Amino acid sequence: MAPLRHRRCLALRGARSETRAAALDHLSQWTERDILWIGDPNEQQRFAALSPARVVTALGRSLHAVVLDAHDGLDPDVLGQCHGLVWGGGALLLRLPPPGAGPSPATQASLAAYPHTPEEVGARFHVLLERALARAELATTLGPPPPLRDVSGHAEQAEVVARLVAAWSSPTPTRIALLADRGRGKSSALGLALRQLGGAREVAVTAAGPTAALEVLRHARGASDPVSSSTFQFTPLAELVLAPRGRPAVIVVDEAAQLPVPMLRRLVERHPGAHLAFATTTHGYEGTGRGFSLRFLSWLSRQEIAVTRLQLSRPIRWDPGDPLERLVFDALLLDAEPAAPPAIEVGEAPLVATRLDRDALVDDEETLRALFGLLVHAHYRTTPGDLRRLLDAPNLELHALRRGAQVVAATALAREGGLPATLIADALTGATRLRAHALADSLIAHLGKPAAGSLQMIRSVRIAVHPALRRRGLATRLVEHVHEAHAPALFGTLFGATPELLAFRRQLGYEVVRLSASRGARTGEPSVMMLRAVSAPARALVAELRAELARDLPRQLELLQADGETLLDPTLAQALQAGLPPPAPLSPAQCHALARAYAHGPRTVESVALALARFVAAHPAELAQLAARERALVEARVLAGRGWREAAAAAELPSVPAAMRGLRRAIRRLVALVERTDLSI
């Protein structure tokens, strides 16, 4: 096979018209169908073009060249996505403002949440990017396009394929973890192994969505049947978790780091006799496989069946040592890792809690990489966009525990609340979302507490401890430092609930006030809000929310259990209900008001589930006047408490999102009918 050659990166600087002309000149000999233009709306008439927000729809394609217009700002996530689209011998053309230009106004505005202005947004990520470009091996010209090539893999991939086929042919169940950086042929290896296996075993392929499994399925089906196959089909993870034991015999999970860890655990427990293979990207722009390794593979390795770890290090789509890959990793810190573990015990070393100076941090790239590496390891999904927010968002700040120069624990905080009446009113009606005010937005829009919007809040966004130093009290010490450093009306945090995390926050004075309606897409655990009240108004707010939670939580847990997409074991349910006060009363007038708030505002159906059920049950005559499909939806979800999938099927709707939209419309009609009847009496 002819060498793939390195990919190139051209940095074209100047006015937008100048960089456009330069890009056209460099690509004059290249075939237009193999070029994707991103970010410049003027190119959509002539070339294949996408907006930056739509680049994700192109993932999986292989292109000779990508032209990225960054005159309105360079989105770190989009840069990572574009890098993955270019094959060996191709090029990424970055269209940039003239030398010396700072971040674009659009970039600054995107991080300027109330009360901050774009002028207050930092430019630290821009500094990092410019340094990476200065260090990079940039091309100055392209010349002719790369020749056509047939990428057929290499010996390392062939060995992995052989080991997969051997494992799946075994009569005893196996567990395999396949780890690789992007472009190493991980998905194609899974597909090639399935094709060799043929129809000998019943197979299921799953991923975060059908698109994410296309590469596996394409190679499994082969060139003769690239579109459909009765043997190889995508199966949603939720269906596999509920599938009968013993079927299927082989389950392949691609990009497993993008799936909820509790759901992956449930998959293993549901199919103890199956061959299970989990593949993930270790340094991905869409998130990290290192948190997956820490949270899931460490658990899997403690189970009865041994785990075989396979790796692919040699790239398939470009040559080793690719300069474009080095540039993207350098600019986005994709390979950031925590510093080496301390050589001595923490108890013997002086630990200092401090707020980090982000200007100093950006000039100390070794510490920045160690800090970002900590956050990547500790959290389920950390993207390059998070790096820019941590460095530049004016409402964020970073605190750390340090032993000398080494960061051993870190936390990111957001200053929230203190909102004006007009913004609070818009959030209450759903006219706006409170960007970068997650606590206030949830309290106002989802819990109907407008008075909370004026309170000053500190939200814990992330907290991480060095993997070698966990369970030694470092996180507690860091949170206590935060409490001493700030004096808001309340502290708060939102996270995927586990009994351990709930206990950790409770012993620091936090209380659960909300169970999220999230269907577990991000973590597989129900999301909770915990608050630590400081001021008298905040204490009154928390007491009111706790009483309402005591009333509503049993119904909310039933609905989450019915959806089947979150981990709700008895231990977690007990932890959520621990210490709740007597439930708040719920009058018919309150039920009506809450039903109306859901029908005409941003509240979720789960947040008013009990009130909605009582409201609907109290008005059977009006319910009977709804259209058959609307009535079926209301009866399934609201009265019977069935899962969203079952409710959608009962109403003959094509999807869960369609059912969610349809239910709000149905309740809006029901509320109108009830109010019309009341007026006529």
Side-chain angles (χ1 to χ4, degrees), residues 53 63 67 114 119 168 221 226 263 305 320 347 349 364 375 514 529 537 568 615 679:
L63 300 158
V67 184
Y114 179 89
E119 290 72 26
W168 296 341
R221 295 164 180 168
M263 291 291 282
I305 301 174
D364 181 1
L375 297 174
R514 181 184 182 231
M529 177 193 293
L568 284 173
F615 175 76
L679 287 173

Short mmCIF file of all heavy atoms in Angstrom, two decimals, residues 53 63 67 114 119 168 221 226 263 305 320 347 349 364 375 514 529 537 568 615 679:
data_model
loop_
_atom_site.label_atom_id
_atom_site.label_comp_id
_atom_site.label_asym_id
_atom_site.label_seq_id
_atom_site.Cartn_x
_atom_site.Cartn_y
_atom_site.Cartn_z
N ALA A 53 -21.93 24.86 13.38
CA ALA A 53 -22.81 24.05 14.22
C ALA A 53 -23.20 22.73 13.56
O ALA A 53 -23.62 21.79 14.24
CB ALA A 53 -24.07 24.84 14.58
N LEU A 63 -12.31 13.45 3.63
CA LEU A 63 -12.17 14.53 2.67
C LEU A 63 -10.71 14.83 2.40
O LEU A 63 -9.84 14.64 3.25
CB LEU A 63 -12.86 15.79 3.20
CG LEU A 63 -14.36 15.65 3.47
CD1 LEU A 63 -14.82 16.70 4.46
CD2 LEU A 63 -15.13 15.78 2.17
N VAL A 67 -11.85 23.61 4.61
CA VAL A 67 -11.52 25.03 4.71
C VAL A 67 -12.37 25.61 5.83
O VAL A 67 -13.60 25.66 5.72
CB VAL A 67 -11.79 25.76 3.38
CG1 VAL A 67 -11.35 27.21 3.49
CG2 VAL A 67 -11.10 25.07 2.22
N TYR A 114 -24.78 37.50 31.74
CA TYR A 114 -25.13 38.59 32.66
C TYR A 114 -24.40 38.40 34.00
O TYR A 114 -24.33 37.28 34.52
CB TYR A 114 -26.64 38.62 32.90
CG TYR A 114 -27.06 39.71 33.86
CD1 TYR A 114 -27.35 40.98 33.40
CD2 TYR A 114 -27.12 39.46 35.23
CE1 TYR A 114 -27.71 41.99 34.29
CE2 TYR A 114 -27.46 40.47 36.13
CZ TYR A 114 -27.76 41.73 35.65
OH TYR A 114 -28.09 42.73 36.53
N GLU A 119 -16.41 42.73 26.67
CA GLU A 119 -15.08 43.28 26.97
C GLU A 119 -14.45 42.61 28.19
O GLU A 119 -13.23 42.67 28.38
CB GLU A 119 -15.19 44.78 27.21
CG GLU A 119 -15.49 45.60 25.95
CD GLU A 119 -16.93 45.43 25.46
OE1 GLU A 119 -17.81 45.13 26.30
OE2 GLU A 119 -17.17 45.59 24.24
N TRP A 168 -14.82 -13.96 20.04
CA TRP A 168 -16.27 -14.11 19.80
C TRP A 168 -16.65 -15.52 19.37
O TRP A 168 -17.82 -15.90 19.43
CB TRP A 168 -16.72 -13.09 18.76
CG TRP A 168 -16.55 -11.68 19.22
CD1 TRP A 168 -16.41 -11.24 20.50
CD2 TRP A 168 -16.47 -10.51 18.40
NE1 TRP A 168 -16.26 -9.87 20.55
CE2 TRP A 168 -16.30 -9.39 19.27
CE3 TRP A 168 -16.53 -10.28 17.03
CZ2 TRP A 168 -16.20 -8.09 18.79
CZ3 TRP A 168 -16.43 -8.97 16.55
CH2 TRP A 168 -16.26 -7.89 17.42
N ARG A 221 -20.86 -5.04 7.03
CA ARG A 221 -21.70 -5.44 5.90
C ARG A 221 -20.90 -5.64 4.62
O ARG A 221 -21.27 -6.44 3.77
CB ARG A 221 -22.79 -4.39 5.68
CG ARG A 221 -23.77 -4.30 6.84
CD ARG A 221 -24.59 -3.03 6.78
NE ARG A 221 -25.54 -2.94 7.89
CZ ARG A 221 -26.21 -1.84 8.21
NH1 ARG A 221 -26.03 -0.72 7.51
NH2 ARG A 221 -27.05 -1.84 9.23
N PRO A 226 -23.70 -2.22 1.64
CA PRO A 226 -23.26 -1.16 2.55
C PRO A 226 -24.38 -0.47 3.30
O PRO A 226 -24.13 0.23 4.26
CB PRO A 226 -22.56 -0.18 1.61
CG PRO A 226 -23.28 -0.35 0.30
CD PRO A 226 -23.64 -1.80 0.23
N MET A 263 -25.52 2.72 32.63
CA MET A 263 -26.21 1.89 31.63
C MET A 263 -25.27 0.81 31.09
O MET A 263 -25.70 -0.32 30.81
CB MET A 263 -26.72 2.77 30.50
CG MET A 263 -27.85 3.70 30.91
SD MET A 263 -29.38 2.81 31.27
CE MET A 263 -29.96 2.48 29.61
N ILE A 305 -15.52 -12.14 35.07
CA ILE A 305 -14.86 -12.46 33.80
C ILE A 305 -13.73 -11.46 33.55
O ILE A 305 -13.94 -10.25 33.63
CB ILE A 305 -15.88 -12.41 32.63
CG1 ILE A 305 -17.00 -13.42 32.89
CG2 ILE A 305 -15.18 -12.70 31.31
CD1 ILE A 305 -18.13 -13.34 31.87
N PRO A 320 1.99 8.06 10.86
CA PRO A 320 2.43 8.40 12.23
C PRO A 320 3.21 9.71 12.24
O PRO A 320 3.89 10.06 11.28
CB PRO A 320 3.33 7.22 12.61
CG PRO A 320 2.88 6.09 11.73
CD PRO A 320 2.46 6.73 10.44
N GLY A 347 -0.32 13.58 53.74
CA GLY A 347 -0.31 14.00 55.13
C GLY A 347 1.03 14.55 55.59
O GLY A 347 1.11 15.28 56.58
N ALA A 349 2.95 16.41 53.60
CA ALA A 349 3.31 17.53 52.73
C ALA A 349 2.41 18.72 53.02
O ALA A 349 1.24 18.56 53.35
CB ALA A 349 3.16 17.12 51.27
N ASP A 364 1.83 29.27 32.21
CA ASP A 364 2.46 28.10 32.80
C ASP A 364 1.77 26.86 32.22
O ASP A 364 0.92 26.25 32.86
CB ASP A 364 2.32 28.15 34.32
CG ASP A 364 2.98 26.98 35.04
OD1 ASP A 364 3.57 26.12 34.35
OD2 ASP A 364 2.88 26.92 36.28
N LEU A 375 -9.22 17.46 35.46
CA LEU A 375 -10.65 17.60 35.17
C LEU A 375 -11.11 16.58 34.14
O LEU A 375 -12.22 16.04 34.23
CB LEU A 375 -10.93 19.02 34.67
CG LEU A 375 -10.64 20.13 35.68
CD1 LEU A 375 -10.81 21.50 35.04
CD2 LEU A 375 -11.54 20.00 36.91
N ARG A 514 -33.90 19.13 44.13
CA ARG A 514 -34.54 18.83 42.85
C ARG A 514 -33.96 17.56 42.25
O ARG A 514 -32.76 17.33 42.29
CB ARG A 514 -34.34 19.97 41.86
CG ARG A 514 -35.03 19.69 40.51
CD ARG A 514 -34.78 20.76 39.47
NE ARG A 514 -35.49 20.43 38.25
CZ ARG A 514 -34.95 20.39 37.04
NH1 ARG A 514 -33.68 20.69 36.87
NH2 ARG A 514 -35.68 20.07 35.98
N MET A 529 -30.05 18.62 42.00
CA MET A 529 -29.54 19.91 42.46
C MET A 529 -29.46 19.84 43.98
O MET A 529 -30.41 19.44 44.65
CB MET A 529 -30.46 21.06 42.05
CG MET A 529 -30.01 22.42 42.58
SD MET A 529 -31.28 23.71 42.43
CE MET A 529 -31.36 23.87 40.66
N PRO A 537 -33.21 34.34 53.53
CA PRO A 537 -34.08 34.04 52.39
C PRO A 537 -33.72 32.72 51.71
O PRO A 537 -34.60 31.98 51.28
CB PRO A 537 -33.85 35.23 51.45
CG PRO A 537 -33.39 36.34 52.34
CD PRO A 537 -32.58 35.67 53.40
N LEU A 568 -31.62 3.51 38.88
CA LEU A 568 -32.41 3.82 40.07
C LEU A 568 -32.45 2.59 40.98
O LEU A 568 -33.49 1.98 41.18
CB LEU A 568 -33.83 4.24 39.66
CG LEU A 568 -33.97 5.65 39.10
CD1 LEU A 568 -35.38 5.88 38.58
CD2 LEU A 568 -33.64 6.68 40.16
N PHE A 615 -54.77 16.91 38.60
CA PHE A 615 -55.56 17.82 37.79
C PHE A 615 -56.32 17.07 36.70
O PHE A 615 -57.53 17.29 36.49
CB PHE A 615 -54.64 18.87 37.16
CG PHE A 615 -55.32 19.80 36.21
CD1 PHE A 615 -56.12 20.84 36.66
CD2 PHE A 615 -55.18 19.64 34.83
CE1 PHE A 615 -56.76 21.70 35.78
CE2 PHE A 615 -55.81 20.50 33.94
CZ PHE A 615 -56.60 21.53 34.42
N LEU A 679 -65.54 29.24 33.54
CA LEU A 679 -66.11 30.56 33.25
C LEU A 679 -67.59 30.49 32.91
O LEU A 679 -68.33 31.45 33.13
CB LEU A 679 -65.35 31.20 32.07
CG LEU A 679 -63.93 31.70 32.39
CD1 LEU A 679 -63.24 32.14 31.11
CD2 LEU A 679 -63.98 32.85 33.39
#
